[in-house]
Every structure is written in structure tokens, then in C-alpha cells.
Amino acid sequence: MRHTLFTVLLFGLLIAVIPAGPAAAARADCGKNFPTRLGCWQDALDDGAVVTVTLNKPLGFDAGQKGGRAAVRRDLKNLRVQVPAGAHTGQGGSALIVLAGHALVDRDARIDRLDDRTLAELPACDDDLCKALKKSSLTGGQLIDKKVGVAELGGHKSTDHTRVLLLALTAVLLLLLLALLLAVRRSRTPALAGATEMRSEETPAETTARLRPVPPAPAPSSYGRQVGPRTGPSRTAVVRTALHPQGYVELDHVLYRAVWAEPDRTPPVPGAYVEVTDAHEADSDVLYAFPPAARHHARGTS
């Protein structure tokens, strides 16, 4: 499940950072008249590329020679027109600025007024930019200040809502990926179920152990478990959790499960010393804990 979620987030992140479409500069060999140039750019525009046209000199407008309004494309949302400082557009350049989806002008550029002949060839003149150019020629700075959909070339561009959305999606995916990594890291942190007071000044920092949870047991009538007489050699260990009746003791910097073997006596608190022996059952990994004061040993042991 974690690997699947990680793959989905990574795939979404890649989609978010891939540009929406390729960018292409306008070809220099697209002819001289207005409709021929539009037809030259048509293939790139239809493929979704953003075609950039830089108007370093005036562009004529002679659509009437090629079929009037039918020659003027209106679906130019991927066309980017740039007018640098000192340049002026001509009738064709002004028409391109009105028709293009992205218009960027320098404040010192000059955008020529649309004359009656050009307006007659355009599909419509119902937006603020076209209406402003219908009245008079304007500088790039005047158009920018009028806020009619023209951005400043080399300055603050108009907001690209698609790119803003992609950047926001990228940020969200990165946050989700970070949250996933934190969740995976936390899930790998070992926890001691049913164990308390595992840290003390007597526990060396390098002490490590793989603990298994102590299964809950019904309240006993005594403090421990009756295991019979002590047998086998004993070793001194330190109590690390309460022995009720089972808990953990530390022996040679390793934690072991142990059961209190003196049910008639109160078990020692964590930090106290006990004597431990192996269990009577051959397959048991639980040690028997006895009071340290007695220090009884089975016959024949040291």
C-alpha cells in the first residue's frame, strides 16, 4: 500500500511539472502578407505549441487579398506576440495583438491605431484592447496602465492560470509526499507494548533488545508464580519493569522476560537486583527471578 501511494504521488508530481505544451519561435520564412503568415504558423498552433512572434518592424495587414475575414484566424490562444522597445506594430501587428492569446509589449513600444479597413477584416472588435486601439495609437506603457489584457515585456507578466494551478498542485503533492515519508518513518520506530520505566540511569546507552509484548494475565491471588525449588545456576540481573508476575530484567545489557518466582513476597521495584535462573521447561525463554539476598544455588553449581 505504501509503495502504491508513493508511485501515485510521484506520477502526479511528474505530471504537475511537465509543461502544458512546447514553445516555438515563429519561422522567418513565413512570407510577407498577413494571411500567409497565419497559415504558416497554423500547424504549430494546431499541435498545441505556443508560437512566439516578435515584431521588430511593422507588419502589414492585407487579409482582403486572401478572402477577407475568412483568412483571419480567431483561435490564436497559443500565439504570443512581443513588441520590444522602439518598435511599432503596423496594422498587421496591432491586429495580431488583438487576436493573440498572449500580448507582451515594452513600455516604449508603439502600437498603431486600427484603421477602418483593418477593423472591417477582423471578426469582431468587442474587447477592451480592440476598442482602445480603435480610437488612437498608444504606447506600450499606456496599454499596460489601461489594464486591457496586455502584459509588460520583461516586467510583470499577466497571470498564467494554468501554470499557477500546476505549481499549486506540485506544492500539494510535495506536502503529501513529505507526510507519507514521516508516516513510514514513524511506523518503523519500535514500541514496547505493556512495558514501562524502560529508561534509567543504570541502563547503558548502548543497551538494545527486541522485546515481545507481555500477554495480559488475570489478576493473581499472589505476587508471582509458584515454580518450585530453585535449580540450576543463577545470575544477577536488574529489574527493568514491574514483575506482575511477568516483566523484563536486564542481563549483560540485554532485556529478557522474567517471572517473579516468590509468590508470597512482594516483587522488587524497577532498578532492584534479582537472581535469575533458566526456566524448568526446555522450550521456555522466560527466566525465573528470585530475591538476591538468598543467593541459593543448586547443588554442584558455583
Side-chain angles (χ1 to χ4, degrees):
M1 179 63 182
R2 293 173 186 163
H3 295 291
T4 303
L5 182 57
F6 179 80
T7 302
V8 171
L9 288 175
L10 182 59
F11 182 71
L13 181 61
L14 290 176
I15 292 177
V17 298
I18 293 176
R27 292 167 50 189
D29 57 346
C30 282
K32 296 182 179 180
N33 66 67
F34 191 83
T36 301
R37 292 189 177 215
L38 288 179
C40 181
W41 303 328
Q42 179 174 353
D43 291 340
L45 290 170
D46 288 343
D47 289 341
V50 177
V51 176
T52 300
V53 176
T54 301
L55 299 176
N56 293 309
K57 59 183 180 179
L59 175 65
F61 185 86
D62 44 10
Q65 301 175 11
K66 298 293 183 178
R69 296 187 182 187
V72 180
R73 292 169 49 93
R74 199 63 167 119
D75 53 338
L76 300 177
K77 62 182 180 180
N78 286 340
L79 181 63
R80 185 193 307 271
V81 179
Q82 301 180 158
V83 187
H88 73 95
T89 59
Q91 289 298 300
S94 295
L96 275 184
I97 289 178
V98 171
L99 296 173
H102 309 274
L104 302 113
V105 298
D106 189 274
R107 285 187 169 271
D108 293 329
R110 185 168 186 82
I111 293 81
D112 294 323
R113 182 183 72 86
L114 294 170
D115 60 24
D116 293 339
R117 179 175 173 273
T118 303
L119 288 170
E121 299 290 349
L122 293 177
C125 187
D126 52 4
D127 56 37
D128 293 338
L129 176 60
C130 184
K131 291 177 181 178
L133 293 176
K134 180 179 179 181
K135 296 177 181 179
S136 63
S137 297
L138 297 168
T139 65
Q142 288 172 322
L143 280 181
I144 293 169
D145 294 338
K146 285 179 178 294
K147 299 180 180 179
V148 290
V150 175
E152 183 177 351
L153 181 62
H156 299 287
K157 306 294 190 298
S158 59
T159 303
D160 187 339
H161 296 287
T162 301
R163 185 161 297 277
V164 170
L165 180 61
L166 290 177
L167 291 176
L169 179 60
T170 302
V172 172
L173 290 174
L174 287 174
L175 289 176
L176 290 175
L177 182 59
L178 178 61
L180 174 64
L181 293 176
L182 291 176
V184 172
R185 183 176 180 180
R186 287 184 178 182
S187 66
R188 291 178 178 176
T189 303
L192 302 181
T196 58
E197 300 180 24
M198 293 304 299
R199 302 178 62 89
S200 69
E201 296 180 355
E202 298 179 1
T203 303
E206 66 273 11
T207 298
T208 58
R210 182 173 299 174
L211 305 182
R212 290 179 294 178
V214 179
S221 57
S222 58
Y223 293 106
R225 181 191 302 174
Q226 188 68 49
V227 299
R230 183 186 315 201
T231 60
S234 63
R235 291 163 292 175
T236 302
V238 181
V239 177
R240 289 305 178 200
T241 67
L243 303 176
H244 287 299
Q246 286 192 25
Y248 287 93
V249 298
E250 181 186 337
L251 184 64
D252 297 330
H253 304 320
V254 178
L255 296 178
Y256 295 90
R257 287 201 304 168
V259 62
W260 180 237
E262 296 286 344
D264 297 331
R265 301 178 61 174
T266 302
V269 297
Y273 289 93
V274 292
E275 298 293 321
V276 295
T277 65
D278 293 332
H280 297 167
E281 300 82 3
D283 58 347
S284 176
D285 58 354
V286 179
L287 302 178
Y288 292 159
F290 295 91
R295 305 191 60 88
H296 298 298
H297 298 278
R299 181 176 302 175
T301 64
S302 56

